[in-house]
């Protein structure tokens, strides 16, 4: 995802965006409320950059519980 900024692709596939994989690494640190909000914003921004690189088609998959960064389905 970090390398996708500034590029565009016909199709983008984002696999495995479940609760345990995205946001990544937030559980490993002891954040206060403000720091946690900033870290979540960085993760959400990174996901946005990756998803917005798709010109024609975006596919997002997850197993189990979807990441809290994904919009609700249905």
């Amino acid at each position: 995802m970090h390398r996708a900024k500034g590029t565009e692709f016909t199709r983008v596939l984002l696999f495995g965006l479940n609760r345990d994989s995205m946001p990544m690494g937030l559980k490993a640190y002891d954040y206060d409320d403000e720091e946690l909000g900033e870290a979540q914003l960085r993760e959400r921004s990174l996901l946005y950059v990756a998803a917005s690189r798709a010109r024609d088609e975006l596919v997002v998959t997850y197993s189990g519980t979807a990441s809290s960064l994904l919009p609700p389905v249905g």
Side-chain angles (χ1 to χ4, degrees), residues 3-71:
R3 294 182 190 157
K5 191 171 185 177
T7 59
E8 184 178 77
F9 303 95
T10 304
R11 293 176 186 86
V12 172
L13 309 172
L14 301 175
F15 292 100
L17 296 181
N18 63 38
R19 177 180 60 196
D20 297 325
S21 68
M22 190 76 179
M24 191 174 169
L26 297 185
K27 297 174 191 90
Y29 300 98
D30 186 24
Y31 291 109
D32 65 28
D33 289 340
E34 184 178 339
E35 291 172 327
L36 180 60
E38 290 173 8
Q40 288 172 329
L41 178 59
R42 284 191 302 273
E43 290 292 298
R44 184 175 290 113
S45 297
L46 179 62
L47 181 58
Y48 174 81
V49 166
S52 64
R53 302 302 92 195
R55 187 178 63 227
D56 299 326
E57 184 176 13
L58 171 65
V59 176
V60 177
T61 69
Y62 65 90
S63 63
T65 303
S67 169
S68 60
L69 300 179
L70 295 176

